Amino acid sequence: MPLDSIRKLPGAGSFKANLEDYEVTRALFSWEAILSELQGLPDGAGLNIAHEAVDRHAAGARAQHLALRWLGKDGKVRDLSYADMSHGSARFANVLRSLGVTRGDRVFALMGRIPELYFAALGTLKNVSVFCPLFSQFGPEPVFQRLSRGDAKLIVTTSALYEKKVSALRERLPMLQYVLLADATEDVSADVLSLPKMMAAAGDHFVIPPTSPEDMALLHFTSGTTGMPKGAVHVHQAVLTHYATGKHVLDLHPEDVFWCTADPGWVTGTSYGIFAPLLHGVTNLVDEADFDAERWYSVLQDQKVTVWYTAPTAIRRLMRIPGEPRTRYDLSALRLIHSVGEPLNPEAVVWGNKALGLPIHDNWWQTETGGIMIANYAAMDIRPGSMGKPLPGIEAAIVTRAEGGIQVITEPGVEGELALKTGWPSMFRAYLHDEARYAKCFVDGWYLSGDLAKRDADGYFWFVGRADDIIKTSGHMVGPFEVESALMEHPVVAEAGVIGKPDPLIGELVKAFVVIKAGHEANDELRLELTGFARKRLGPAVAPKEIAFIDSLPKTRSGKIMRRLLKARELGLPEGDLSTLEKE
Ligand code: ATP
Ligand code: MG
């Protein structure tokens, strides 16, 4: 199947998308207009994410609408209306207030995807404190690093996680005053307290104090794909991006059932796993369990998910399973699939079309951008392999760093660094405790993303690679994604990670690490076949010169291939920060 063909979303037209015509929406777009679709705090007291996400619905017609359906690991289901979410988060805010936790204080969460996490997130924002979510699977050292770098004042966690990961760190964390245990019925000590007990004693009404759009709201650590995770600071004004992208990219409509599979420990899991769906008053599905193909298909079917937001790593895992799921599951409610986090191989878009009956819409953003910046829109043609076009209101460009500044490349098809015109609402306001690094990201009014990309003549953006991952071989610049995607087209290949390996003759040689699908044998014959296959697609200069078979690729917990680790291991170099490495 040709991968460069353009395919339109089946059914587009029968369902009226929020963004029907990209150019028209872009021309008419303004952030002021987006702000006017929100409510603002009563009496002009400012802009607060939690007010817009829950309180305004709880005070209106959607009070009893299902806000959050929680699916427990063990089959339990908990349904929470907008009124329930408003009350639960108010109780949490009152708990914080009673402990003297106040504006700007850092409230960390270390727990699985349980309802308390969502009350904690929204309650923290109501209190104008700063919410800092951590992956529950982090080990003690990564937890320590983040708590200490983030100046944690309070942490909400569970008894087991506290015992395993936090209690031994207390001495080294003098700032940390309180621990709230989400599952303890009784207090453990004067500062290790039962959250249920405190929540029960707290009032379910909380008046949000005045909140400036520039008040700090969230602290998110980056994925650590390229090095030590950075703490990106976001403010309440980010709500404008959460809302605008929920409208134009996720295309949320009032009766939608939305499922974002990302954990709130990663920015996608808060911007889209909490805020965007609630801002639109839709039903947000939360599954406590981790990835399992059969479970996921059942969730999509049984919960009648209409809009699904997931990641390439999950899609590649689903692609490994033979057969077409739509013949086994009723996926007819599903109308839109989105993906973020890594480049989405064109093969995956094509697979979605065939196996799920829908193409997969790739979009691009970073922890630093706070929300989706470049996307494929529901009613717009998809070019498989492309990240799509900038969000209305966002100016993106391909630039080169030049002497004393940057130069914007206007010619299509030229590779350069992906940059965004500064000033969008969810732009990160700092790298915590690292002003110099923050300042380095900005040149001439542009934010430089550190990703390389190109733009075609029609304005679609194409990901080339992270600047750190680019391979320089025989005078060519090769993006690993291009090579990985070509290998992925081979029916036996499940996944591939590609690096540059220093070579005295050609600078770097392209080396591929390949995971093959179950039931196939990794041998020299296959290696030769894959080499030939890649050469045909990429030409000899770009095709891998070395191919190694590997059982699994090292990935971050958010599912990104850690090429720096493949490289370090290949070269016998130090492995660097491994705090976000998924268990291998
Ligand atoms: P660190 O900055 O700590 O190395 P990270 O960059 O992986 O980690 P995130 O902010 O979670 O941390 O990820 C953003 C990055 O993920 C982007 O800069 C880009 O490299 C990659 N990415 C996200 N979405 C896409 C996409 N649709 N296509 C290609 N790359 C993507
Ligand atoms: Mg990054």
Side-chain angles (χ1 to χ4, degrees), residues 21 29 116 224 270 397 489 493 526:
D21 182 313
F29 184 93
E116 288 74 10
T270 52
E489 284 176 44
V493 175
L526 181 61

Side-chain angles (χ1 to χ4, degrees), residues 262-277:
D263 187 275
W266 181 45
V267 69
T268 305
T270 52
S271 293
Y272 299 103
I274 308 179
F275 306 136

Side-chain angles (χ1 to χ4, degrees), residues 168-487:
L169 308 173
R170 293 293 300 276
E171 272 178 18
R172 294 159 69 201
L173 293 167
M175 288 268 304
L176 183 63
Q177 291 182 13
Y178 293 106
V179 178
L180 301 181
L181 299 179
D183 56 344
T185 47
E186 292 301 328
D187 295 347
V188 174
S189 66
D191 60 2
V192 181
L193 306 167
S194 155
L195 178 65
K197 213 169 131 188
M198 295 201 77
M199 291 274 278
D204 65 5
H205 183 69
F206 183 88
V207 178
I208 299 178
T211 310
S212 151
E214 286 299 316
D215 269 326
M216 188 168 164
L218 300 156
L219 171 65
H220 265 296
F221 288 90
T222 60
S223 294
T225 316
T226 52
M228 191 60 136
K230 296 146 275 186
V233 170
H234 288 284
V235 296
H236 278 271
Q237 199 186 23
V239 70
L240 297 181
T241 309
H242 302 151
Y243 180 83
T245 48
K247 179 176 178 176
H248 291 311
V249 183
L250 304 179
D251 192 42
L252 295 174
H253 285 65
E255 295 315 309
D256 273 325
V257 176
F258 174 73
W259 185 25
C260 169
T261 58
D263 187 275
W266 181 45
V267 69
T268 305
T270 52
S271 293
Y272 299 103
I274 308 179
F275 306 136
L278 298 181
L279 286 165
H280 284 271
V282 308
T283 297
N284 188 28
L285 199 68
V286 172
D287 186 12
E288 187 191 15
D290 289 329
F291 177 88
D292 174 86
E294 296 303 323
R295 181 177 172 107
W296 277 28
Y297 285 133
S298 302
V299 168
L300 290 170
Q301 168 184 272
D302 300 345
Q303 301 302 327
K304 299 192 171 38
V305 173
T306 56
V307 182
W308 183 34
Y309 196 11
T310 189
T313 180
I315 293 163
R316 289 193 299 260
R317 285 171 82 170
L318 296 175
M319 285 169 70
R320 288 188 199 185
I321 303 166
E324 288 189 13
R326 65 173 166 159
T327 60
R328 287 184 292 129
Y329 296 89
D330 176 6
L331 303 178
S332 56
L334 196 59
R335 65 178 179 85
L336 204 47
I337 309 174
H338 301 280
S339 161
V340 72
E342 276 194 302
L344 183 68
N345 314 82
E347 196 59 24
V349 181
V350 175
W351 173 84
N353 231 8
K354 193 155 166 280
L356 305 172
L358 294 168
I360 299 168
H361 292 65
D362 186 23
N363 55 67
W364 175 94
W365 58 291
Q366 307 177 304
T367 310
E368 290 86 341
T369 70
I372 299 167
M373 294 285 113
I374 297 181
N376 287 285
Y377 303 87
M380 202 175 84
D381 297 334
I382 293 181
R383 296 188 177 176
S386 159
M387 309 188 286
K389 294 188 177 186
L391 181 77
I394 295 296
E395 200 178 327
I398 303 298
V399 306
T400 49
R401 297 189 190 228
E403 194 76 15
I406 55 152
Q407 208 180 338
V408 175
I409 303 172
T410 47
E411 207 184 319
V414 179
E415 288 175 13
E417 189 163 354
L418 177 55
L420 303 170
K421 197 65 164 279
T422 55
W424 72 97
S426 62
M427 190 177 89
F428 68 134
R429 298 298 197 267
Y431 279 136
L432 197 71
H433 304 315
D434 199 347
E435 269 173 50
R437 181 156 201 169
Y438 184 72
K440 266 213 293 286
C441 297
F442 299 92
V443 182
D444 296 347
W446 291 87
Y447 163 66
L448 300 179
S449 70
D451 283 346
L452 301 186
K454 55 192 175 188
R455 191 175 40 83
D456 67 21
D458 301 316
Y460 285 79
F461 282 74
W462 299 75
F463 184 78
V464 173
R466 292 162 179 273
D468 296 11
D469 287 340
I470 294 296
I471 304 161
K472 294 166 202 86
T473 180
S474 306
H476 300 276
M477 304 277 276
V478 177
F481 171 54
E482 186 187 3
V483 182
E484 290 159 9
S485 289
L487 288 165

Side-chain angles (χ1 to χ4, degrees), residues 55-191:
D55 284 6
R56 115 185 125 105
H57 299 305
R62 291 188 92 71
Q64 295 312 320
H65 191 76
L66 182 57
L68 193 147
R69 167 162 290 174
W70 176 76
L71 308 175
K73 273 184 198 158
D74 55 3
K76 253 193 237 136
V77 177
R78 198 166 156 198
D79 281 346
L80 296 157
S81 66
Y82 276 91
D84 296 332
M85 293 305 293
S86 173
H87 293 152
S89 52
R91 286 182 193 277
F92 191 86
N94 278 318
V95 168
L96 293 182
R97 186 177 276 175
S98 71
L99 295 173
V101 175
T102 176
R103 188 181 294 270
D105 286 342
R106 314 286 152 72
V107 173
F108 276 70
L110 176 73
M111 49 185 151
R113 291 180 292 279
I114 56 178
E116 288 74 10
L117 175 62
Y118 298 80
F119 294 144
L122 294 158
T124 300
L125 297 181
K126 283 188 171 178
N127 196 44
V128 206
S129 304
V130 181
F131 185 64
C132 321
L134 299 179
F135 279 111
S136 59
Q137 287 151 14
F138 279 150
E141 197 49 36
V143 169
F144 169 74
Q145 283 295 332
R146 287 162 180 76
L147 292 176
S148 89
R149 281 167 54 201
D151 312 313
K153 181 158 182 181
L154 181 146
I155 182 169
V156 202
T157 182
T158 61
S159 309
L161 289 171
Y162 178 67
E163 279 314 314
K164 230 161 88 186
K165 306 184 180 181
V166 186
S167 70
L169 308 173
R170 293 293 300 276
E171 272 178 18
R172 294 159 69 201
L173 293 167
M175 288 268 304
L176 183 63
Q177 291 182 13
Y178 293 106
V179 178
L180 301 181
L181 299 179
D183 56 344
T185 47
E186 292 301 328
D187 295 347
V188 174
S189 66
D191 60 2

